[in-house]
Amino acid sequence: MQVTPNSVRLVNSTSRDLKDEWFAPDSCSLTIATANATQVLLATNVGDLVCLKIGDGFLEEIKSVKSGCCVSCPDINPIDDKANSSSFAAVRMWEDRSVDIYSLPGLDLIKMEKLGGEIIPRSVLMCSFERKSYLLCALGDGHLLHFGLNMTTGELTDRKELSLGTQPITLRTFSSKEATRVFAASNRPIVIWSCNEKLLYCEVNLKDIIHMCPFNVEAFPKGLAIVKEGRLAICTIDERQKLHSHSIPLLGEHPLRISHQEQSQTFAICSVKYKNGDDSGRLVRLLDNNKL
């Protein structure tokens, strides 16, 4: 599928034949779009929202409504990883400081969540971790908001906010070990996942990432295509997201300072040993961190 300012084009991915084309009304142009396997949500420069159905070789307009504002970022990502369609659309407007939740395919407004502040969201994403549904809202200043999403009513609850960096964030889901992950691309990118129904955040060892897209091909199974300024990289996510600990007995010593030297891969520990309440000696231990 290809979206241009004037139309949506459905193309056969094997033969490259044009199967169908839906044209925007003469009085407007398409400004932004989002899609899943069976649905397309479009926004126009005059504040229209349009929902299309993707059929077997055809496009069908289902509903068009006036939103009143120009859209900055929409999302119709299916909450259920096995689903081909979404029951809701999350839409953020340029002028209005809120996130609007619409039902699909009828585009009925069911919830308007005021965000406050002066920074406009640049990316919204509906997703599910451990069978719990969330709405993530990334702002243009590097802050990320997340809410619990009620999949029956569309209500947003339990708002939380954290800072991921200083630049705009874009959000995209990918799958790893049969579970959903979210990649937040920014000047300090992170991967978001859940453990014991708690959201966790892991920093990525690349900086200043503009966008990410799953890139699952035979040569790079479960790979990710990552875009930086003037650079494209094919990457994978290391699954070793665990904190490993190891105890070193100090035999009655009380540690005072610890330092790590990267060049020698050693830890230096300064400690003091007391005997009968008196300072009986100060010690320095050197430890090889590769043998801990």
Side-chain angles (χ1 to χ4, degrees):
M1 188 180 65
Q2 178 189 29
V3 180
T4 74
N6 301 316
S7 70
V8 179
R9 297 161 54 86
L10 189 63
V11 180
N12 185 293
S13 60
T14 302
S15 67
R16 304 296 191 266
D17 293 335
L18 178 63
K19 307 301 293 183
D20 198 6
E21 188 168 11
W22 178 90
F23 291 93
D26 294 337
S27 59
C28 64
S29 62
L30 305 178
T31 57
I32 196 167
T34 184
N36 56 45
T38 62
Q39 299 164 306
V40 187
L41 184 64
L42 308 165
T44 71
N45 62 334
V46 294
D48 294 333
L49 281 174
V50 183
C51 180
L52 304 182
K53 175 184 176 181
I54 306 174
D56 185 8
F58 68 89
L59 295 168
E60 178 185 354
E61 181 177 330
I62 301 299
K63 191 65 179 292
S64 176
V65 298
K66 290 283 186 182
S67 64
C69 301
C70 291
V71 174
S72 66
C73 47
D75 178 59
I76 55 172
N77 182 57
I79 294 292
D80 186 348
D81 292 336
K82 299 180 181 179
N84 291 324
S85 62
S86 176
S87 301
F88 297 116
V91 179
R92 178 63 172 92
M93 311 298 180
W94 282 110
E95 295 89 351
D96 189 10
R97 296 183 181 88
S98 67
V99 171
D100 300 340
I101 305 296
Y102 290 83
S103 64
L104 290 178
L107 285 179
D108 296 314
L109 180 62
I110 58 177
K111 176 64 178 177
M112 180 183 293
E113 181 73 21
K114 294 291 185 181
L115 299 181
E118 300 295 328
I119 307 301
I120 296 174
R122 298 300 182 90
S123 183
V124 291
L125 179 69
M126 296 179 293
C127 60
S128 175
F129 299 110
E130 296 183 305
R131 298 177 298 280
K132 292 184 65 175
S133 301
Y134 297 87
L135 173 70
L136 307 182
C137 183
L139 306 184
D141 63 351
H143 281 77
L144 177 70
L145 308 177
H146 65 80
F147 305 83
L149 174 62
N150 187 309
M151 290 303 298
T152 302
T153 65
E155 292 290 318
L156 300 176
T157 58
D158 195 22
R159 169 175 169 160
K160 291 183 172 59
E161 180 175 351
L162 67 154
S163 177
L164 303 185
T166 59
Q167 300 300 314
I169 301 169
T170 58
L171 302 168
R172 191 70 185 268
T173 59
F174 67 98
S175 179
S176 178
K177 287 193 173 180
E178 309 304 324
T180 298
R181 305 283 193 267
V182 171
F183 193 99
S186 69
N187 63 315
R188 289 173 53 196
I190 64 167
V191 172
I192 306 170
W193 80 102
S194 177
C195 183
N196 297 323
E197 298 187 352
K198 180 180 179 181
L199 294 188
L200 303 175
Y201 309 89
C202 178
E203 291 190 6
V204 178
N205 61 349
L206 292 175
K207 304 299 181 184
D208 301 316
I209 295 176
I210 300 172
H211 195 70
M212 184 284 295
C213 180
F215 190 72
N216 189 10
V217 296
E218 184 177 356
F220 304 102
K222 296 187 177 181
L224 305 178
I226 291 178
V227 177
K228 300 180 67 174
E229 187 69 35
R231 179 183 176 189
L232 171 66
I234 308 300
C235 308
T236 59
I237 294 294
D238 189 348
E239 292 297 333
R240 293 174 297 178
Q241 297 168 337
K242 297 181 179 179
L243 180 65
H244 300 277
S245 63
H246 184 73
S247 298
I248 303 295
L250 295 180
L251 304 177
E253 302 168 20
H254 297 266
L256 300 177
R257 298 288 189 272
I258 184 170
S259 180
H260 180 259
Q261 187 181 60
E262 186 174 356
Q263 295 90 332
S264 62
Q265 293 291 291
T266 56
F267 285 99
I269 301 174
C270 295
S271 62
V272 61
K273 194 167 187 177
Y274 291 96
K275 185 176 182 180
N276 299 325
D278 296 327
D279 183 349
S280 62
R282 297 178 181 269
L283 307 167
V284 176
R285 288 177 176 268
L286 294 178
L287 304 176
D288 185 345
N289 65 228
N290 295 312
K291 296 181 180 180
L292 295 181

